[in-house]
Amino acid sequence: MTAVGVRGVREVADAALGWIWAHRGAFALGEDALAVHGEVDRTWKPLGELAQVCATLTRRTDPADPLHGRAADLLAFAWRETDLGELFLTLQRQEPFATYPLEVYAAFAAGGLRHPGYETAAATVARTRGWRRTEQDPTRRLGVLCAERHGGIARPEPATAVLDGTWLGGLPEPWTFERASGYALTHVVFHLTDWGRAEEAGVPGRLTAYLAHWLPPWLDTCLEAGQWDLACELLAVAASVPGAAGPPLLQEAWRRIAAAQRPSGALPEEAAFEGEGFAYSYHSTLMAVFAAALTDHRYGGQGVLG
C-alpha cells in the first residue's frame, strides 16, 4: 500500500475537524454543568478538551489556513459556552478547592481568552495551604502546575520534582507499558510541552532518549490492537519530541489511522467500537486532529513523510 504522506496527514486533520465542527453542539454545556455533584466528565471535560486542541491548532497553523480559521471559530464557540469565562467564577464560588475549573480555564487562556475576575479569585484560593497540599497523582499535579502558569499563579514547587514521581519520569521497564501508563506518559509530555505549543520542547534529555527507544514499539502495539485514541496520543508525542519515531514508522502509523477513519471524519476510540456515537468518537477524533497538526507542523515543509 502507498504510505500516507504529509498531504494524507493533512487530509486526516481536515476530515476529523470537519466532524468535530458538525458535532460542536454536543460539546455545549447543559444546565447540569453547574449542578452540585454534576458529571464533570460529560460536561466540562469535553469542552475543555475541545478548547485545548483548538488553542494548539491556532498556534501551530498559519492564519490563512482554513484549518486555523475553523479551529479559531470552535475556540470562540467553546468560550461563549462558558459565558465568556463568567461560569468559571461561578464554579470557583461553588467549589473553591476543585482544580478542574482552572485546568479547563487554562486551555482558553493558552488561546488568549481570559477572565481577570476569575484569575483573581483563583489566585486567592491558590495561596492557601489547603490548595497547595491537595493530594493528586504526579501526572495530574504536573497538569495543575501547567494550568496555574496559564492562570497567572506562581508556585514555588518545581516541576522536575513532580516529574520524577510519574510513570515516565521513573524510566520504567518498557514491558510494563499498558493502557493506563500509556495515557499517563502522553499527558506528561503534553504538560511539559504545553500541549505542543512550546517553541522548545521541555522534555528532559533522559526522557527523550528513553522515548526514542521505546515509543516505536509501544505505538506499533497500540496500532496492532486497534487502540486508535491512544495511538493518536502517541503520535502527538512523536511529533513533540525530536527523534521519538522515524519516518517509516510514522508513515505506517498514519496509513493505519487514515484507514480507520470513517468517511464522516470520525475516528473511533478503538477498532472494536461500532457506529459513530459522540461519547466513543469525540476524544479520538480530537486527538487525530491534534496529532496530525503537530506532525504537519514538524514535517510539513521537510518532505520527511512524503
Side-chain angles (χ1 to χ4, degrees), residues 9 11-20 23 27 183 219 222-223 226-236 253-292:
V9 171
E11 288 171 351
V12 169
D14 287 340
L17 196 61
W19 185 89
I20 295 295
H23 292 78
F27 289 93
Y183 281 110
L219 175 58
C222 291
L223 290 167
Q227 295 179 351
W228 310 129
D229 186 62
L230 182 52
C232 283
E233 291 206 6
L234 290 172
L235 281 168
W254 280 109
R255 183 193 66 78
R256 294 191 190 190
I257 295 298
Q261 190 175 36
R262 303 289 168 78
S264 65
L267 180 70
E269 287 189 7
E270 297 185 12
F273 290 170
E274 298 292 336
E276 295 183 12
F278 181 81
Y280 300 104
S281 299
Y282 89 85
H283 188 268
S284 42
T285 305
L286 276 174
M287 288 301 101
V289 180
F290 179 58

Side-chain angles (χ1 to χ4, degrees), residues 195-208:
W195 287 78
R197 294 183 290 263
E199 292 299 327
E200 297 295 331
V203 182
R206 65 187 182 89
L207 298 190
T208 298

